[in-house]
Structures are given as structure tokens and as C-alpha cells.
Amino acid sequence: LMVAEIGRKPSDRVLHDRESYSLAAGFALGCICLGQGSDAPGLADLQLDTWLLRYILGGPEMPLPGVATREAQRQESTCQLWEPEGINTCVTAPAGCIALALVF
């Protein structure tokens, strides 16, 4: 779920503090998987390194596995901020870097 929170789309609830919200999720993910790398038990199927590199480098969004996908579909588009398709690296890159550094 922390992976999904790093790349969360803007909503009315987290409009003003998106960068800090994403960065906090990156720290949380890094601390949860601290030093486990790709050998983290139960996380091998999530491909954390692929996700975090996508958040750092940008590109088209990938579908999230499991519960995170259902959460993303429930979000409403009542936001006051318009974003183009794809990942906003201005928001997600710092969180991806921190999480990647702590995990590996």
C-alpha cells in the first residue's frame, strides 16, 4: 500500500501537501523494508525496484497489484488540480529515491 501512496493522484484531501505526503510514504516504505533488498519475504511479487525506479524516472503509470488497485479506482476526480497522464516525477522522485536507498 505504501507504493501506491507514493504515486497517489491529487485529491481535495492532500492537495497542499502532496510532496510531503509522498516523501513520508517513501520513508515508511523504506523503513518497513529496511535493508532487505529484493529478498524481502512476501514482497518479491511486488517488484519494488521496478516501481521505485518508475517513480524516479517517470513514464506511464502501471496498474498496481491487489488492494492498491481497488483503492485507486475508488478515488473521485473532484480535485482542483489538473495533471497530465503519467507519473509526476516532481512529486514522486524524492520519495522513490529515499525508499530505494533504504530498501537496498
Side-chain angles (χ1 to χ4, degrees):
L1 190 59
M2 288 288 114
V3 176
E5 295 302 315
I6 292 174
R8 184 181 185 138
K9 288 290 187 189
S11 66
D12 292 335
R13 195 178 98 212
V14 274
L15 181 61
H16 301 293
D17 54 355
R18 282 184 62 211
E19 291 84 2
S20 59
Y21 188 88
S22 178
L23 191 59
F27 269 109
L29 177 63
C31 289
I32 290 169
C33 304
L34 186 63
Q36 294 182 1
S38 58
D39 298 331
L43 298 177
D45 60 334
L46 290 180
Q47 303 169 344
L48 284 180
D49 53 342
T50 304
W51 277 102
L52 295 175
L53 285 173
R54 179 66 59 103
Y55 284 142
I56 294 169
L57 301 174
E61 292 188 45
M62 300 184 330
L64 294 169
V67 176
T69 303
R70 285 182 248 130
E71 289 275 332
Q73 290 174 349
R74 280 189 232 154
Q75 291 180 356
E76 298 177 10
S77 61
T78 61
C79 181
Q80 300 171 358
L81 179 68
W82 179 82
E83 269 195 359
E85 293 296 318
I87 295 174
N88 184 352
T89 57
C90 294
V91 174
T92 61
C97 289
I98 291 294
L100 195 63
L102 290 174
V103 170
F104 291 96

